[in-house]
Every structure is written in structure tokens, then in C-alpha cells.
Amino acid sequence: MGRSQYLILNVICGYTSMEIADAFDDTVVAVTKRIQRAKKKMKGFIYRILMWMASNLEAKIFIC
């Protein structure tokens, strides 16, 4: 199971790292680390989207 699936189970479904680790026969430390990495990656993705939206908005305002 990948980082994004662990993140979904944790954030959206509300499962704890311990519950996820038990369900997938993994360690709590590994699950927690994967969730942290997924959150960090998601923050970078959201930041890039917001910057793209802001630059497109500025271009549209300039044209008008």
C-alpha cells in the first residue's frame, strides 16, 4: 500500500496509524512516516496549483 492510500485512510476515513498498521501488517512507525511524506508531497502539489491559478488570474486581469 502506498503513501496516498495511507493518507486517505488517515485523513478522510479517520483511522489512526496504529489501526492502519494492524490492518496492513506494517509497523506504526512506517505508516506514520508514509503519512507524513504524503502530506508533505500534497502540500507541495497544492502550492503549485495555487501559484498556477494566481499567475493565470494576473494574466487575465492584465488582458481585460
Side-chain angles (χ1 to χ4, degrees), residues 13 18 20 27-28 32 35 59:
C13 299
M18 184 178 289
I20 296 168
T27 65
V28 175
T32 303
I35 291 170

Side-chain angles (χ1 to χ4, degrees), residues 35-59:
I35 291 170
Q36 289 172 345
R37 288 181 190 140
K39 284 180 181 180
K40 185 177 180 180
K41 187 175 182 179
M42 189 60 68
K43 285 180 185 177
F45 178 71
I46 291 170
Y47 177 79
R48 288 193 303 274
I49 289 174
L50 291 176
M51 291 298 103
W52 177 81
M53 290 172 61
S55 66
N56 282 337
L57 181 61
E58 289 174 7

Side-chain angles (χ1 to χ4, degrees), residues 4 6-7 9 17-18 20 27 31-34 37 40 42 44 46 48 56 60 62-63:
S4 59
Y6 283 165
L7 181 64
L9 289 171
S17 295
M18 184 178 289
I20 296 168
T27 65
V31 170
T32 303
K33 193 65 173 176
R34 288 185 182 120
R37 288 181 190 140
K40 185 177 180 180
M42 189 60 68
I46 291 170
R48 288 193 303 274
N56 282 337
K60 288 180 182 179
F62 182 73
I63 292 172

